[in-house]
Structure formats: structure tokens, C-alpha cells
Amino acid sequence: DVKVTQSSRYLVKRTGEKVFLECVQDMDHENMFWYRQDPGLGLRLIYFSYDVKMKEKGDIPEGYSVSREKKERFSLILESASTNQTSMYLCASRSVRQRYGRTEAFFGQGTRLTVV
Amino acid sequence: DAKTTQPPSMDCAEGRAANLPCNHSTISGNEYVYWYRQIHSQGPQYIIHGLKNNETNEMASLIITEDRKSSTLILPHATLRDTAVYYCIVRWGSSNTGKLIFGQGTTLQVKP
């Protein structure tokens, strides 16, 4: 089974702290994604990496950066955490090697980040 | 990737079929329709996908209209455990650079 693991399930950080959210996948997937999810707003894409060292901004990249030095790991960085970054963060990975068009994304369990 | 439109919420009686619609009028010829669902406090999970033919698997059926501008996800005998947010997404099947954009989805409430 594909496993996408996020380093923390719950995290509390102070305003102004630098925060690292880590995501690791074990299926040699090329694509990795970071989303945040807020009530009433659905899943919004923050950043996307289509391969190692490749990244692309999603819909809401402001206040975030990412790092993909190794294929299995995709890190989301909050340079200076703010209270409006309190949210559920979800990581996903996806293979581009399709079988009958099937290239679904696999998600981690999420990290609920609270910035106080 | 084409944009999708779904109703924000739907109710369904337990044991009955749940039919969840999705409009994707700007879909192009090489784009697949994917459905995911998210049960409370979990990450989204893949349900089914299709290009132009109707598809069925152990979880659901997917009906795509002939013009491919809309589709319907069918849960044939909904249970309380099917209560979730359902997302319809349209994307290139073989693209390795395509973003995966989720809309707000449909919240399905299955009632006893």
C-alpha cells in the first residue's frame, strides 16, 4: 500500500516562528502536493512539485515556501508563522505512470497547525 | 485543468442510491474525470475515474454524458459510512506537470 506520512498530526506554534511541515512518501512518486483546508473553503493548493527540485506555486503560495531535495520528501515551510495560517495541512503524492488513465493522488492524514 | 461545479450539499436515505452530479463544461478531449471523497478528519481518497465510458468499481459507478460536459457519481446503496465530502476533479491523465485542483465539493449526508 502507498503510504504518505506527515510528521505531526497536531502542532502548536507561536506567531513569528519558522515552521517546517514534513511529508514523506514511499512509492517513488514524481508529484507531490501541499494543500490547506479551512471550513467553507475546501482544499486549496499551496505548492506543487512535479519532480525533485521542481516546484510550482499553487493558488495560495503567499507566506509559504517548499523544499524537495529528495524524491520521497516534500517540506512546507512557514517562514514566519501568523495566526491566519492556522489550518489543516494535507500532503499528497501521485505517480505519473498511468494505468488506464489512473493516476490518483494519495493523501496523508493531515497536520492540524495552530498558530498562537 | 478544467473547472468543475458541484452542489454544496445533498442528503440521502440509508440504503438508497446517492447520485452526485458534477458539471465540467470546459473539459477537453484528453481530460479525465476523477472522484475523491474525504471522510471527516481524514485525507481524501480516490473513488473512481473515467474518460468517456461509464465506469464501475467496488465502490461506485461513474456516468459521463456523451458530450462529457457533466458526470454523475452513483453510490448504489448508501450507508452511514458514506457520509463525506465528495470532490469531482478534471485533469490530464498523463500530464506530469498538471496541478491537482479541488473545488469545494459536495457534502453528502446519509441519514438513517
Side-chain angles (χ1 to χ4, degrees):
Chain A
D1 278 354
V2 173
K3 196 165 182 184
V4 179
T5 305
Q6 294 184 230
S7 53
S8 304
R9 192 85 164 97
Y10 299 95
L11 209 53
V12 180
K13 295 291 181 180
R14 295 194 179 276
T15 302
E17 274 193 80
K18 190 168 185 175
V19 181
F20 293 85
L21 301 183
E22 305 287 347
C23 176
V24 177
Q25 50 94 3
D26 64 359
M27 280 298 290
D28 199 37
H29 285 173
E30 293 80 9
N31 294 173
M32 295 188 76
F33 307 81
W34 273 108
Y35 296 87
R36 65 177 282 178
Q37 186 168 33
D38 302 287
L41 297 177
L43 278 154
R44 293 181 292 167
L45 181 65
I46 305 172
Y47 264 98
F48 162 55
S49 169
Y50 50 92
D51 214 327
V52 179
K53 298 188 189 291
M54 303 294 188
K55 62 186 179 186
E56 196 171 314
K57 292 180 181 179
D59 295 331
I60 51 163
E62 296 77 22
Y64 304 94
S65 61
V66 290
S67 172
R68 183 116 180 255
E69 295 297 315
K70 293 185 177 181
K71 196 172 187 180
E72 67 270 19
R73 185 181 297 269
F74 192 34
S75 304
L76 180 70
I77 304 155
L78 287 67
E79 295 290 342
S80 177
S82 63
T83 54
N84 63 13
Q85 292 178 309
T86 291
S87 186
M88 169 69 87
Y89 289 86
L90 286 154
C91 173
S93 73
R94 187 182 79 96
S95 171
V96 300
R97 290 158 284 177
Q98 61 173 315
R99 289 175 296 167
Y100 308 108
R102 180 170 175 171
T103 56
E104 76 269 31
F106 295 85
F107 282 80
Q109 285 292 88
T111 296
R112 187 165 291 283
L113 173 68
T114 303
V115 182
V116 298
Chain B
D1 292 336
K3 184 177 169 159
T4 61
T5 306
Q6 299 176 254
S9 64
M10 293 181 65
D11 289 343
C12 178
E14 190 178 16
R16 303 298 292 267
N19 297 285
L20 293 95
C22 179
N23 285 320
H24 30 79
S25 57
T26 59
I27 192 170
S28 63
N30 294 334
E31 289 183 311
Y32 286 76
V33 180
Y34 276 76
W35 283 83
Y36 289 76
R37 76 177 181 186
Q38 186 177 23
I39 295 170
H40 183 62
S41 298
Q42 297 182 21
Q45 290 181 303
Y46 164 86
I47 301 173
I48 199 167
H49 77 287
L51 184 61
K52 46 187 163 184
N53 298 323
N54 297 339
E55 302 288 345
T56 295
N57 64 18
E58 66 279 3
M59 290 181 70
S61 294
L62 174 61
I63 308 297
I64 302 174
T65 59
E66 195 169 337
D67 63 7
R68 304 209 324 120
K69 292 181 186 291
S70 66
S71 60
T72 301
L73 179 76
I74 301 171
L75 308 177
H77 305 287
T79 71
L80 298 179
R81 286 176 294 183
D82 292 322
T83 292
V85 180
Y86 288 78
Y87 297 97
C88 167
I89 299 162
V90 175
R91 63 156 291 111
W92 292 92
S94 60
S95 169
N96 71 336
T97 58
K99 301 174 187 179
L100 198 59
I101 304 295
F102 286 77
Q104 295 198 33
T106 296
T107 299
L108 175 68
Q109 182 74 45
V110 180
K111 299 187 172 180

Coordinates of all heavy atoms in Angstrom, one line a residue, chain A residues 27-93:
Chain A
M27 N 6.4 5.5 -2.3 CA 6.1 4.8 -3.6 C 6.8 5.4 -4.8 O 6.4 5.2 -5.9 CB 4.6 4.8 -3.8 CG 3.9 3.7 -3.0 SD 4.4 2.1 -3.4 CE 3.7 1.9 -5.1
D28 N 7.9 6.1 -4.6 CA 8.7 6.6 -5.7 C 7.8 7.5 -6.6 O 8.0 7.6 -7.8 CB 9.3 5.5 -6.5 CG 10.4 5.9 -7.4 OD1 11.2 6.8 -6.9 OD2 10.6 5.4 -8.5
H29 N 6.9 8.2 -6.1 CA 6.0 9.1 -6.9 C 6.7 10.4 -7.3 O 7.5 11.0 -6.5 CB 4.8 9.5 -6.0 CG 3.8 8.4 -5.9 ND1 2.6 8.5 -5.1 CD2 3.7 7.2 -6.5 CE1 1.9 7.4 -5.2 NE2 2.6 6.6 -6.1
E30 N 6.5 10.8 -8.5 CA 7.1 12.0 -9.0 C 6.5 13.3 -8.4 O 7.2 14.2 -8.1 CB 7.0 12.1 -10.5 CG 7.8 11.0 -11.3 CD 7.1 9.7 -11.3 OE1 5.9 9.6 -10.9 OE2 7.7 8.7 -11.8
N31 N 5.2 13.3 -8.4 CA 4.4 14.5 -8.0 C 4.2 14.5 -6.5 O 3.8 13.5 -5.9 CB 3.1 14.7 -8.7 CG 3.2 14.8 -10.2 OD1 2.1 14.8 -10.9 ND2 4.4 15.0 -10.7
M32 N 4.3 15.7 -5.9 CA 3.9 15.9 -4.5 C 3.2 17.2 -4.4 O 3.5 18.2 -5.1 CB 5.1 15.7 -3.5 CG 5.6 14.3 -3.5 SD 6.9 14.0 -2.3 CE 5.8 13.8 -0.8
F33 N 2.3 17.3 -3.4 CA 1.4 18.5 -3.3 C 1.3 18.9 -1.8 O 1.3 18.0 -0.9 CB 0.0 18.2 -3.8 CG -0.1 17.6 -5.2 CD1 0.1 16.3 -5.4 CD2 -0.4 18.4 -6.3 CE1 0.0 15.7 -6.7 CE2 -0.5 17.9 -7.5 CZ -0.3 16.6 -7.7
W34 N 1.1 20.2 -1.6 CA 0.7 20.6 -0.3 C -0.6 21.5 -0.4 O -0.7 22.4 -1.3 CB 1.8 21.5 0.4 CG 2.8 20.8 1.2 CD1 4.1 20.5 0.8 CD2 2.6 20.1 2.4 NE1 4.7 19.8 1.8 CE2 3.8 19.6 2.8 CE3 1.5 20.0 3.3 CZ2 4.0 18.9 4.0 CZ3 1.7 19.3 4.5 CH2 2.9 18.8 4.8
Y35 N -1.6 21.1 0.4 CA -2.8 21.8 0.5 C -3.1 22.3 1.9 O -2.6 21.8 2.8 CB -4.0 20.9 0.1 CG -4.0 20.3 -1.3 CD1 -3.3 19.1 -1.6 CD2 -4.7 20.9 -2.3 CE1 -3.3 18.6 -2.8 CE2 -4.7 20.4 -3.6 CZ -4.0 19.2 -3.8 OH -4.0 18.7 -5.1
R36 N -3.9 23.3 2.0 CA -4.5 23.6 3.3 C -6.1 23.6 3.1 O -6.6 23.8 2.1 CB -4.1 25.0 3.8 CG -4.5 26.2 3.1 CD -4.1 27.5 3.8 NE -4.9 27.9 4.9 CZ -4.7 28.9 5.7 NH1 -3.6 29.7 5.5 NH2 -5.5 29.2 6.7
Q37 N -6.7 23.2 4.2 CA -8.1 23.1 4.2 C -8.7 23.8 5.4 O -8.4 23.6 6.6 CB -8.5 21.6 4.4 CG -10.0 21.3 4.2 CD -10.3 19.9 4.0 OE1 -9.6 19.0 4.6 NE2 -11.3 19.6 3.2
D38 N -9.7 24.7 5.0 CA -10.3 25.5 6.0 C -11.8 25.4 5.8 O -12.3 25.2 4.7 CB -9.9 27.0 5.8 CG -8.4 27.2 6.0 OD1 -7.9 27.1 7.1 OD2 -7.7 27.4 5.0
P39 N -12.6 25.5 6.9 CA -14.1 25.3 6.8 C -14.7 26.3 5.8 O -14.4 27.5 5.7 CB -14.5 25.7 8.2 CG -13.4 25.4 9.1 CD -12.2 25.8 8.3
G40 N -15.5 25.7 4.9 CA -16.1 26.5 3.9 C -15.3 26.9 2.6 O -15.8 27.4 1.7
L41 N -14.0 26.5 2.7 CA -13.1 26.9 1.6 C -12.6 25.7 0.8 O -11.9 25.8 -0.2 CB -12.0 27.8 2.1 CG -12.4 29.1 2.7 CD1 -11.1 29.8 3.2 CD2 -13.0 30.0 1.6
G42 N -12.8 24.5 1.3 CA -12.4 23.3 0.6 C -10.9 23.2 0.7 O -10.2 23.7 1.5
L43 N -10.3 22.4 -0.2 CA -8.9 22.1 -0.3 C -8.3 23.1 -1.3 O -8.7 23.2 -2.4 CB -8.6 20.7 -0.8 CG -8.7 19.6 0.1 CD1 -9.1 18.3 -0.6 CD2 -7.4 19.4 0.9
R44 N -7.3 23.9 -0.8 CA -6.6 24.9 -1.6 C -5.2 24.5 -1.8 O -4.5 24.2 -0.8 CB -6.8 26.3 -1.1 CG -8.2 26.8 -1.1 CD -8.3 28.2 -0.5 NE -8.0 28.2 0.9 CZ -7.8 29.3 1.6 NH1 -7.8 30.5 1.0 NH2 -7.6 29.3 2.9
L45 N -4.7 24.5 -3.0 CA -3.3 24.1 -3.3 C -2.4 25.2 -3.0 O -2.5 26.4 -3.5 CB -3.2 23.7 -4.8 CG -1.9 23.3 -5.3 CD1 -1.5 21.9 -4.6 CD2 -1.9 23.1 -6.8
I46 N -1.4 24.9 -2.2 CA -0.3 25.9 -1.8 C 0.8 25.8 -2.8 O 1.2 26.8 -3.4 CB 0.2 25.6 -0.4 CG1 -1.0 25.6 0.6 CG2 1.2 26.7 0.0 CD1 -0.6 25.2 2.0
Y47 N 1.4 24.6 -2.9 CA 2.6 24.4 -3.8 C 2.5 23.0 -4.3 O 1.9 22.1 -3.7 CB 3.9 24.5 -3.0 CG 4.5 25.9 -3.1 CD1 4.4 26.8 -2.1 CD2 5.3 26.2 -4.2 CE1 5.0 28.1 -2.2 CE2 5.9 27.5 -4.3 CZ 5.7 28.4 -3.3 OH 6.3 29.6 -3.4
F48 N 3.1 22.8 -5.4 CA 3.1 21.5 -6.2 C 4.6 21.3 -6.6 O 5.2 22.2 -7.1 CB 2.2 21.7 -7.3 CG 2.3 20.7 -8.4 CD1 2.3 19.3 -8.2 CD2 2.4 21.1 -9.7 CE1 2.4 18.4 -9.2 CE2 2.5 20.2 -10.8 CZ 2.5 18.9 -10.5
S49 N 5.0 20.1 -6.5 CA 6.3 19.7 -7.0 C 6.2 18.5 -8.0 O 5.6 17.5 -7.6 CB 7.3 19.3 -5.9 OG 8.4 18.7 -6.4
Y50 N 6.5 18.7 -9.2 CA 6.3 17.6 -10.2 C 7.5 16.7 -10.3 O 7.4 15.6 -10.9 CB 5.9 18.1 -11.6 CG 6.7 19.2 -12.2 CD1 7.8 18.9 -13.0 CD2 6.4 20.6 -11.9 CE1 8.5 20.0 -13.6 CE2 7.2 21.6 -12.5 CZ 8.2 21.3 -13.3 OH 9.0 22.3 -13.9
D51 N 8.6 17.1 -9.6 CA 9.8 16.1 -9.5 C 10.8 16.8 -8.6 O 10.6 17.9 -8.1 CB 10.4 15.8 -10.9 CG 10.9 14.4 -10.9 OD1 11.4 13.9 -9.9 OD2 10.9 13.8 -12.0
V52 N 11.9 16.0 -8.3 CA 12.9 16.5 -7.4 C 13.4 17.9 -7.8 O 13.7 18.1 -9.0 CB 14.1 15.5 -7.3 CG1 15.1 16.0 -6.4 CG2 13.6 14.2 -6.9
K53 N 13.5 18.8 -6.9 CA 14.0 20.2 -7.1 C 13.1 21.0 -8.0 O 13.4 22.1 -8.3 CB 15.4 20.2 -7.6 CG 16.4 19.6 -6.6 CD 17.8 19.8 -7.1 CE 18.9 19.0 -6.3 NZ 19.0 19.5 -4.9
M54 N 12.0 20.5 -8.4 CA 11.0 21.2 -9.2 C 9.8 21.6 -8.4 O 9.3 20.8 -7.6 CB 10.5 20.3 -10.4 CG 11.6 19.8 -11.3 SD 12.4 21.1 -12.1 CE 13.4 20.1 -13.2
K55 N 9.4 22.9 -8.5 CA 8.3 23.3 -7.7 C 7.5 24.3 -8.5 O 8.0 25.0 -9.4 CB 8.7 23.9 -6.4 CG 9.6 25.1 -6.5 CD 10.1 25.6 -5.1 CE 11.0 26.8 -5.3 NZ 11.6 27.2 -4.0
E56 N 6.2 24.4 -8.2 CA 5.4 25.4 -8.8 C 4.4 25.9 -7.8 O 3.9 25.2 -7.0 CB 4.6 24.7 -10.0 CG 4.0 25.5 -11.0 CD 3.5 24.8 -12.2 OE1 4.2 23.9 -12.7 OE2 2.3 25.0 -12.6
K57 N 4.1 27.2 -7.9 CA 3.1 27.8 -7.0 C 1.7 27.3 -7.3 O 1.3 27.1 -8.5 CB 3.1 29.3 -7.1 CG 4.4 29.9 -6.6 CD 4.4 31.4 -6.7 CE 5.7 32.0 -6.2 NZ 5.8 33.5 -6.4
G58 N 1.0 27.1 -6.2 CA -0.4 26.8 -6.4 C -1.3 28.1 -6.3 O -0.8 29.1 -6.7
D59 N -2.5 28.0 -5.7 CA -3.4 29.1 -5.7 C -3.1 30.1 -4.5 O -3.4 31.3 -4.6 CB -4.8 28.6 -5.6 CG -5.3 27.8 -6.8 OD1 -4.7 28.1 -7.9 OD2 -6.1 26.9 -6.6
I60 N -2.5 29.6 -3.5 CA -2.2 30.4 -2.3 C -0.8 30.3 -1.7 O -0.6 29.9 -0.6 CB -3.3 30.1 -1.2 CG1 -3.4 28.6 -0.9 CG2 -4.7 30.7 -1.6 CD1 -4.1 28.3 0.4
P61 N 0.2 30.6 -2.5 CA 1.6 30.4 -2.0 C 2.1 31.4 -1.0 O 3.2 31.2 -0.4 CB 2.4 30.4 -3.3 CG 1.6 31.4 -4.2 CD 0.1 31.2 -3.8
E62 N 1.4 32.5 -0.9 CA 2.0 33.6 -0.1 C 2.2 33.2 1.4 O 1.3 32.7 2.0 CB 1.0 34.8 -0.1 CG 0.8 35.5 -1.5 CD -0.1 34.7 -2.4 OE1 -0.9 33.9 -1.9 OE2 0.0 34.8 -3.6
G63 N 3.4 33.5 1.9 CA 3.7 33.1 3.3 C 4.3 31.7 3.4 O 4.6 31.3 4.5
Y64 N 4.4 31.0 2.3 CA 4.9 29.7 2.3 C 6.1 29.5 1.4 O 6.1 30.2 0.4 CB 3.8 28.7 1.9 CG 2.6 28.7 2.8 CD1 1.5 29.5 2.4 CD2 2.5 28.0 3.9 CE1 0.3 29.5 3.1 CE2 1.3 28.0 4.7 CZ 0.2 28.8 4.3 OH -0.9 28.8 5.0
S65 N 6.9 28.5 1.7 CA 7.9 28.1 0.7 C 8.0 26.6 0.8 O 7.4 26.0 1.7 CB 9.3 28.7 0.9 OG 9.8 28.4 2.2
V66 N 8.7 25.9 -0.1 CA 8.8 24.5 -0.1 C 10.2 24.0 -0.5 O 10.9 24.8 -1.0 CB 7.8 23.8 -1.1 CG1 6.3 23.9 -0.6 CG2 7.9 24.3 -2.5
S67 N 10.4 22.8 -0.2 CA 11.7 22.2 -0.5 C 11.5 20.8 -0.9 O 10.8 20.0 -0.2 CB 12.7 22.3 0.7 OG 13.9 21.6 0.5
R68 N 12.2 20.4 -2.0 CA 12.1 19.0 -2.5 C 13.5 18.6 -2.9 O 13.8 18.6 -4.1 CB 11.1 18.8 -3.6 CG 10.9 17.3 -4.0 CD 9.6 16.8 -3.8 NE 9.4 15.4 -4.2 CZ 8.8 15.0 -5.3 NH1 8.3 15.9 -6.1 NH2 8.7 13.7 -5.6
E69 N 14.3 18.2 -2.0 CA 15.7 17.8 -2.3 C 15.8 16.3 -2.6 O 16.7 15.9 -3.3 CB 16.6 18.1 -1.1 CG 16.8 19.6 -0.8 CD 17.4 20.4 -2.0 OE1 18.4 19.9 -2.5 OE2 16.9 21.4 -2.3
K70 N 14.9 15.6 -2.1 CA 14.9 14.1 -2.4 C 13.5 13.8 -2.9 O 12.5 14.4 -2.5 CB 15.2 13.3 -1.1 CG 16.7 13.5 -0.7 CD 17.0 12.5 0.4 CE 18.4 12.6 0.8 NZ 18.8 11.7 1.9
K71 N 13.4 12.7 -3.7 CA 12.1 12.4 -4.3 C 11.0 12.1 -3.3 O 9.9 12.4 -3.5 CB 12.3 11.2 -5.2 CG 11.2 11.0 -6.2 CD 11.6 10.0 -7.2 CE 10.6 9.9 -8.4 NZ 10.9 8.8 -9.3
E72 N 11.4 11.4 -2.2 CA 10.4 11.0 -1.3 C 9.9 12.0 -0.3 O 9.0 11.8 0.4 CB 10.9 9.7 -0.5 CG 12.1 10.0 0.5 CD 13.5 9.9 -0.2 OE1 13.5 9.9 -1.4 OE2 14.4 9.8 0.6
R73 N 10.6 13.1 -0.2 CA 10.3 14.1 0.9 C 9.9 15.5 0.3 O 10.7 16.0 -0.5 CB 11.5 14.2 1.8 CG 11.2 15.1 3.0 CD 12.5 15.1 3.9 NE 12.9 13.8 4.4 CZ 12.4 13.3 5.6 NH1 11.7 14.1 6.3 NH2 12.8 12.1 6.0
F74 N 8.9 16.0 0.8 CA 8.4 17.4 0.4 C 8.1 18.2 1.6 O 7.2 17.8 2.4 CB 7.2 17.2 -0.5 CG 6.8 18.5 -1.3 CD1 7.7 19.4 -1.7 CD2 5.4 18.7 -1.6 CE1 7.3 20.5 -2.4 CE2 5.0 19.8 -2.3 CZ 6.0 20.7 -2.7
S75 N 8.8 19.3 1.8 CA 8.7 20.0 3.0 C 8.0 21.3 2.7 O 8.3 22.0 1.8 CB 10.0 20.3 3.7 OG 10.7 19.1 3.9
L76 N 7.0 21.7 3.6 CA 6.4 23.0 3.6 C 6.9 23.9 4.7 O 7.0 23.4 5.8 CB 4.9 22.8 3.7 CG 4.0 24.1 3.7 CD1 4.0 24.7 2.2 CD2 2.6 23.8 4.1
I77 N 7.3 25.1 4.3 CA 8.0 26.0 5.3 C 7.1 27.2 5.5 O 6.8 27.9 4.5 CB 9.4 26.3 4.9 CG1 10.2 25.0 4.6 CG2 10.1 27.2 5.9 CD1 11.3 25.2 3.7
L78 N 6.8 27.5 6.7 CA 6.2 28.8 7.0 C 7.3 29.7 7.6 O 7.8 29.4 8.7 CB 5.1 28.7 8.1 CG 3.8 28.0 7.6 CD1 3.9 26.6 7.2 CD2 2.7 28.1 8.7
E79 N 7.8 30.7 6.8 CA 8.9 31.4 7.2 C 8.7 32.2 8.5 O 9.6 32.3 9.3 CB 9.3 32.4 6.1 CG 9.7 31.7 4.8 CD 11.1 31.1 4.9 OE1 11.9 31.4 5.8 OE2 11.4 30.2 4.1
S80 N 7.5 32.7 8.7 CA 7.2 33.5 9.9 C 5.7 33.3 10.2 O 4.9 34.0 9.6 CB 7.5 35.0 9.7 OG 7.2 35.7 10.9
A81 N 5.4 32.3 11.0 CA 4.0 31.8 11.2 C 3.1 33.0 11.6 O 3.5 33.8 12.5 CB 4.0 30.7 12.1
S82 N 1.9 33.0 11.1 CA 0.9 34.0 11.5 C -0.3 33.3 11.9 O -0.6 32.1 11.5 CB 0.7 35.0 10.4 OG 0.1 34.4 9.3
T83 N -1.2 34.0 12.6 CA -2.4 33.3 13.1 C -3.3 32.9 12.0 O -4.1 31.9 12.1 CB -3.2 34.2 14.1 OG1 -3.4 35.5 13.5 CG2 -2.4 34.4 15.4
N84 N -3.3 33.6 10.8 CA -4.1 33.3 9.7 C -3.6 32.0 8.9 O -4.2 31.6 8.0 CB -4.3 34.4 8.7 CG -3.1 34.9 8.1 OD1 -2.0 34.3 8.2 ND2 -3.1 36.1 7.5
Q85 N -2.5 31.5 9.4 CA -2.0 30.2 8.9 C -2.5 29.0 9.7 O -2.1 27.9 9.4 CB -0.5 30.2 8.7 CG -0.1 31.2 7.6 CD 1.4 31.3 7.4 OE1 2.2 31.5 8.4 NE2 1.9 31.2 6.2
T86 N -3.3 29.3 10.7 CA -3.9 28.2 11.5 C -4.8 27.4 10.5 O -5.7 28.0 10.0 CB -4.7 28.8 12.7 OG1 -3.7 29.3 13.6 CG2 -5.5 27.7 13.3
S87 N -4.6 26.1 10.4 CA -5.3 25.4 9.4 C -5.0 23.9 9.5 O -4.1 23.5 10.2 CB -5.0 25.9 8.0 OG -5.8 25.3 7.0
M88 N -5.7 23.1 8.7 CA -5.3 21.7 8.4 C -4.5 21.7 7.2 O -4.9 22.2 6.1 CB -6.6 20.9 8.3 CG -6.3 19.5 7.8 SD -5.4 18.4 9.0 CE -6.8 17.8 9.9
Y89 N -3.3 21.1 7.2 CA -2.4 21.0 6.1 C -2.4 19.5 5.6 O -2.1 18.6 6.4 CB -1.0 21.5 6.4 CG -1.0 23.0 6.6 CD1 -1.3 23.6 7.9 CD2 -0.7 23.8 5.6 CE1 -1.3 24.9 8.0 CE2 -0.8 25.2 5.7 CZ -1.1 25.7 7.0 OH -1.1 27.1 7.1
L90 N -2.6 19.3 4.3 CA -2.6 18.0 3.8 C -1.6 17.9 2.7 O -1.4 18.7 1.8 CB -4.0 17.7 3.2 CG -5.1 17.4 4.2 CD1 -6.4 17.7 3.6 CD2 -5.0 15.9 4.6
C91 N -0.8 16.8 2.7 CA 0.2 16.5 1.7 C -0.3 15.3 0.9 O -1.1 14.5 1.3 CB 1.5 16.0 2.4 SG 2.8 15.4 1.3
A92 N 0.0 15.3 -0.4 CA -0.4 14.2 -1.3 C 0.8 13.9 -2.3 O 1.6 14.7 -2.5 CB -1.6 14.6 -2.1
S93 N 0.7 12.7 -2.8 CA 1.7 12.3 -3.8 C 1.0 11.6 -4.9 O -0.1 11.0 -4.7 CB 2.8 11.5 -3.2 OG 2.4 10.2 -2.9

